[in-house]
Amino acid sequence: MQKRNRKRNALILLVLLLFADIFGTAPFAGGQRVEAAGTYSIYIEGESNYDYAQAVLDKVNREREKAGAEALVMNQELQKAAMRRAAELAIKYAHVRPNGKICFSASDLIYGENIAVGQTTPAMVMKAWMKSKGHRTNILNEAYTAIGIGVFYHNKHYYWVQCFGYVDGEAYEKNGTEEKTYKISIKGKLNYRIAGKKSITMKKGGTKALELKVTDFYQSKILAKSGKWSSSKPSVVTVSKSGKLKAKKKGTAVISCKLGNVTQKVTVKVK
C-alpha cells in the first residue's frame, strides 16, 4: 500500500532530451497480428548494449556520491523494462509508449524515467542529462534505490533510457551486447513507407526483399514481417509474408503493405 501511495502522490519528473547536434529539421505466422481494437504489432531489430548500461550506472553513482546520495543498484526487472523502452523510443520518442500507455506501464517498479537519443557514448549522455535540471533531479533523487538502464542501437542511432525505482534487492549485472528483436504494440496510425522508389523494375525470375521505414524522427527500420502483404497480380509478382518479391512473368503489379489502418503501395514492373 505504501508503494502505491508513493506512486500516487509523488511528483514524477518526466523529461525529454534531444541531442541538438544530431536532432534535425509469438508465434507469428506472418502478416499483422491484431492484439486488441486499434492495436497491432510490429517488429524492430537492434543491439542491446549492456556494457554501455553498466558504464552509465557507474557514472550515475559517481554523481550521486558527489551529491551525498546512496548508490543505486541495477535491478533486473527495471533493466529489462528499460531495454524495451529504449527500443520503443526508436518508434516513438516520448514518455508515452507506442501502445498509447504511459511509460510506467512497462513495469510496476518504474517511478521515474529519463530518455535521450543521439549521444554515442555513456559519457556524452550523462553529461547531457546532468546539464538538464529535470534529468539531474531524477539522477540525484535520494529516495530512489534502484535503476534500470536501457541502451538500444538501431539504424546508426543510440536510444538511452533510465528507469528509477524504490525496490530493494541484489544487484543485477549483465555484460556484452545482444542482437535483439522486439515486438512492439502500436496503437493508432503509424507513419511509415516502403523503402525505395515508388516504382521497382525487376527481371523475370528475380527476387527482391522490401523494407519498411518509419517516416517520423530518425526513420527507424521495422521488419517487413510486421506488415500484411499482398500483390494485385500474383501471376506477375508474388510477395511473401516477410516482404520478399519474386518476379514470375512480364507485366505490372501493385504490391501493398498494411499496418493497422494505413496501407502503402509500390508498383513493380517485370521485364
Side-chain angles (χ1 to χ4, degrees):
M1 183 61 71
Q2 181 181 2
K3 185 177 180 180
R4 292 180 180 176
N5 290 337
R6 181 183 287 167
K7 177 165 283 190
R8 184 182 303 117
N9 298 322
L11 175 62
I12 303 173
L13 297 174
L14 294 179
V15 282
L16 298 173
L17 179 64
L18 296 176
F19 194 46
D21 290 345
I22 293 178
F23 182 68
T25 35
F28 180 76
Q32 160 192 344
R33 182 185 177 194
V34 177
E35 298 179 336
T39 303
Y40 51 97
S41 295
I42 65 161
Y43 296 81
I44 184 170
E45 283 184 335
E47 183 182 82
S48 296
N49 195 317
Y50 293 91
D51 288 339
Y52 274 11
Q54 286 295 143
V56 170
L57 175 63
D58 292 341
K59 295 180 183 302
V60 165
N61 284 333
R62 282 201 289 270
E63 295 294 342
R64 289 176 66 86
E65 183 180 9
K66 288 190 290 185
E70 293 292 326
L72 297 180
V73 172
M74 185 81 83
N75 173 269
Q76 185 175 8
E77 182 178 334
L78 283 174
Q79 190 183 37
K80 184 178 180 180
M83 285 295 184
R84 170 167 287 279
R85 285 288 297 128
E88 291 177 347
L89 294 185
I91 303 300
K92 183 177 182 178
Y93 186 76
H95 291 297
V96 176
R97 304 174 68 190
N99 63 8
K101 298 180 180 180
I102 193 67
C103 59
F104 306 118
S105 66
S107 170
D108 290 338
L109 301 182
I110 301 174
Y111 284 79
E113 178 182 84
N114 285 345
I115 65 178
V117 62
Q119 296 82 0
T120 56
T121 67
M124 289 176 66
V125 74
M126 277 299 296
K127 183 178 180 180
W129 273 331
M130 290 302 293
K131 283 185 176 180
S132 165
K133 182 179 179 180
H135 296 88
R136 186 172 63 252
T137 298
N138 264 344
I139 291 169
L140 302 182
N141 188 331
E142 294 184 5
Y144 290 139
T145 59
I147 192 172
I149 299 169
V151 186
F152 188 68
Y153 184 71
H154 172 80
N155 198 25
K156 300 180 180 181
H157 297 291
Y158 283 96
Y159 297 85
W160 309 81
V161 177
Q162 293 175 326
C163 294
F164 301 90
Y166 303 102
V167 64
D168 295 322
E170 292 186 6
Y172 172 77
E173 183 175 350
K174 183 174 181 177
N175 299 306
T177 60
E178 181 179 45
E179 294 295 327
K180 184 79 173 180
T181 298
Y182 284 94
K183 182 175 75 171
I184 298 175
S185 294
I186 306 292
K187 183 176 182 180
K189 180 181 178 181
L190 179 69
N191 295 320
Y192 76 99
R193 63 183 174 88
I194 301 174
K197 300 178 180 179
K198 293 183 178 180
S199 180
I200 298 173
T201 300
M202 300 178 66
K203 292 183 178 180
K204 180 181 176 181
T207 61
K208 182 178 179 62
L210 296 178
E211 292 185 336
L212 299 178
K213 284 189 176 182
V214 179
T215 56
D216 295 336
F217 209 46
Y218 281 127
Q219 298 193 6
S220 301
K221 296 179 181 180
I222 56 180
L223 298 186
K225 72 176 185 178
S226 302
K228 185 176 181 179
W229 295 89
S230 62
S231 171
S232 65
K233 293 183 179 180
S235 61
V236 175
V237 181
T238 60
V239 60
S240 72
K241 294 177 180 179
S242 60
K244 186 175 182 179
L245 302 177
K246 185 173 183 179
K248 308 290 284 187
K249 69 177 184 180
K250 292 182 179 180
T252 301
V254 176
I255 304 300
S256 300
C257 178
K258 185 178 181 181
L259 280 174
N261 59 1
V262 178
T263 300
Q264 297 289 356
K265 299 179 179 181
V266 60
T267 299
V268 180
K269 299 178 181 179
V270 180
K271 292 185 176 181

